[in-house]
Amino acid sequence: MIIILKSDATAAQRDQLIAHIEQLGLKAHLSEGTFRTILGVIGDESLISADQLRATPGVSDVVPVLPSYKLASREAHPQPSIVDVKGAKFGGGHISFIAGPCAVEDHSRMQAIAAAVKAAGAHVFRGGAYKPRTSPYSFQGMGLEGLKVLRAVGDEFDMPVVSEVTDPRHLDQLVEHVDMLQVGARNMQNFALLAEVGRTSTPVLMKRGMSATLTDLLMCAEYVLAHGNPNVVLCERGIKSFDTATRNLFDVAAVPAIHELSHLPIIVDPSHATGRPDLIPPCALAGIAAGADGVHIEVHDCPAEARSDGPQALLPEQYAELAEAMRSMATLVKKQFPEHEKEI
Ligand code: PEP
Ligand code: MN
């Protein structure tokens, strides 16, 4: 940490700061320039509060040297993490595809969609049983009944399943029925939920909040890691923009930027990022080209009857065509698929 003193800071203020730093068991390195004095703090930065220092007389600014997301940072863990969801691997050169409807619907419809996405090459089946809807009058999801349907269909088609947890009170149900817990964009900063999710060992799909910076996203992942769950996969799903042409703004640069900052895998969700079936294929391919460790896409066999997010759903045949293109792109960027391992 570097402390920059005000140009009119007094010698007494400087000495008090040095004494404070040393009292905490840290070392202070004084560097007096012509116009400004700088204090370098050497030792464990977590022992000292940057905000308290900023409020201390004589201090102009405080610049932390290490990111606050210690466990999620690349510095803490230079090798990429691989998150394994029952054989579907994300990160460290592995790529897996997640597909399914926005919301879990009736059993036969879920069977039809699972059969189609499995045949197209998806590895993980998705569906929300608890839906975070903007309107309290919209379909809120089938709840526990939906989780049971998702689990049964996942088992029937031999696919791991992912579903969203919106409330810590549902966590036990979710952990019992799913292989991966989704934390949605709207709940990314629900810290009580993150702490509870962190106490489980179920892999987590952490979606980026629509107005979250990459640092915000990594701090939320840090909550889960700090509570003991190392299995976090990040997801870029679009951020708010002034432009209404797309549902959100797909931030493809987030993928390589996160890879630089963190060892955690990051996947892309072009369905929520664009909200438009015509834009999903190019954005999915762009995400893989940028290094994404997975792709999450909503698929429905009859979007006009979908109970949630129908307008952005790909039809099974559109998904099958895209999945083939995604495999070619992933091969080009030297990613490994779960089926590669089965071949070995
Ligand atoms: C979803 O996956 O259906 C969903 C609600 O996602 P997000 O939290 O990204 O909006
Ligand atoms: Mn959705």
Side-chain angles (χ1 to χ4, degrees):
M1 180 181 286
I2 293 163
I3 305 170
I4 304 163
L5 301 194
K6 286 184 176 158
S7 49
D8 61 356
T10 63
Q13 286 171 336
R14 181 202 61 201
D15 292 345
Q16 251 172 17
L17 267 167
I18 295 176
H20 173 61
I21 292 164
E22 289 177 349
Q23 248 170 25
L24 294 170
L26 301 164
K27 278 198 186 132
H29 181 270
L30 180 67
S31 167
E32 284 184 295
T34 317
F35 301 108
R36 287 292 177 103
T37 296
I38 284 173
L39 279 174
V41 181
I42 299 155
D44 181 357
E45 278 189 7
S46 68
L47 297 172
I48 196 161
S49 157
D51 273 352
Q52 284 181 354
L53 286 173
R54 285 191 189 100
T56 302
V59 173
S60 162
D61 200 5
V62 177
V63 185
V65 174
L66 295 174
S68 354
Y69 45 88
K70 278 193 220 132
L71 300 172
S73 78
R74 185 58 89 169
E75 264 152 345
H77 193 299
Q79 289 310 313
S81 284
I82 299 169
V83 176
D84 189 331
V85 183
K86 295 252 170 79
K89 291 187 183 167
F90 300 86
H94 298 267
I95 189 167
S96 293
F97 301 151
I98 302 175
C102 181
V104 177
E105 299 186 23
D106 65 78
H107 198 273
S108 57
R109 171 142 267 153
M110 293 299 281
Q111 283 174 311
I113 301 172
V117 298
K118 168 95 181 181
H123 308 102
V124 180
F125 189 46
R126 65 146 284 147
Y130 291 98
K131 295 302 302 172
R133 304 306 297 275
T134 304
S135 165
Y137 309 116
S138 302
F139 175 57
Q140 304 285 309
M142 288 169 64
L144 178 57
E145 199 45 45
L147 291 177
K148 289 183 179 164
V149 169
L150 186 67
R151 176 77 273 158
V153 174
D155 288 346
E156 185 180 342
F157 290 91
D158 192 24
M159 292 177 89
V161 295
V162 56
S163 197
E164 179 165 352
V165 56
T166 56
D167 185 327
R169 289 170 297 184
H170 302 151
L171 197 55
D172 289 346
Q173 284 176 22
L174 265 295
V175 167
E176 193 186 329
H177 292 90
V178 306
D179 306 299
M180 187 177 215
L181 295 164
Q182 177 172 321
V183 174
R186 289 154 193 82
N187 267 304
M188 187 200 85
Q189 285 182 312
N190 180 341
F191 299 116
L193 178 66
L194 297 180
E196 291 303 321
V197 163
R199 290 190 184 103
T200 76
S201 56
T202 307
V204 179
L205 178 60
M206 164 97 48
K207 291 212 166 180
R208 180 182 184 183
M210 39 264 235
S211 57
T213 64
L214 297 185
T215 301
D216 292 336
L217 175 61
L218 289 169
M219 286 308 295
C220 293
E222 187 79 10
Y223 259 88
V224 176
L225 301 179
H227 283 85
N229 187 345
N231 305 307
V232 178
V233 176
L234 305 171
C235 179
E236 164 54 37
R237 48 77 71 206
I239 49 176
K240 283 273 183 217
S241 145
F242 54 85
D243 194 340
T244 54
T246 55
R247 182 175 178 182
N248 289 293
L249 182 71
F250 180 42
D251 180 10
V252 72
V255 173
I258 286 285
H259 279 151
E260 189 134 344
L261 297 171
S262 176
H263 55 92
L264 296 175
I266 176 162
I267 71 167
V268 290
D269 168 0
S271 297
H272 293 89
T274 67
R276 285 178 41 181
D278 56 328
L279 302 183
I280 291 170
C283 290
L285 297 176
I288 299 174
D293 303 299
V295 183
H296 174 282
I297 289 180
E298 287 186 350
V299 178
H300 201 284
D301 60 348
C302 184
E305 287 177 10
R307 302 204 67 188
S308 161
D309 279 350
Q312 72 191 27
L314 287 190
L315 290 165
E317 53 272 28
Q318 292 172 318
Y319 183 69
E321 194 181 328
L322 173 57
E324 200 177 326
M326 292 198 298
R327 277 190 293 275
S328 302
M329 180 61 88
T331 305
L332 202 65
V333 293
K334 303 198 163 44
K335 294 278 190 190
Q336 269 212 301
F337 304 100
E339 42 277 34
H340 286 162
E341 296 193 14
K342 286 186 191 140
E343 279 162 16
I344 294 167

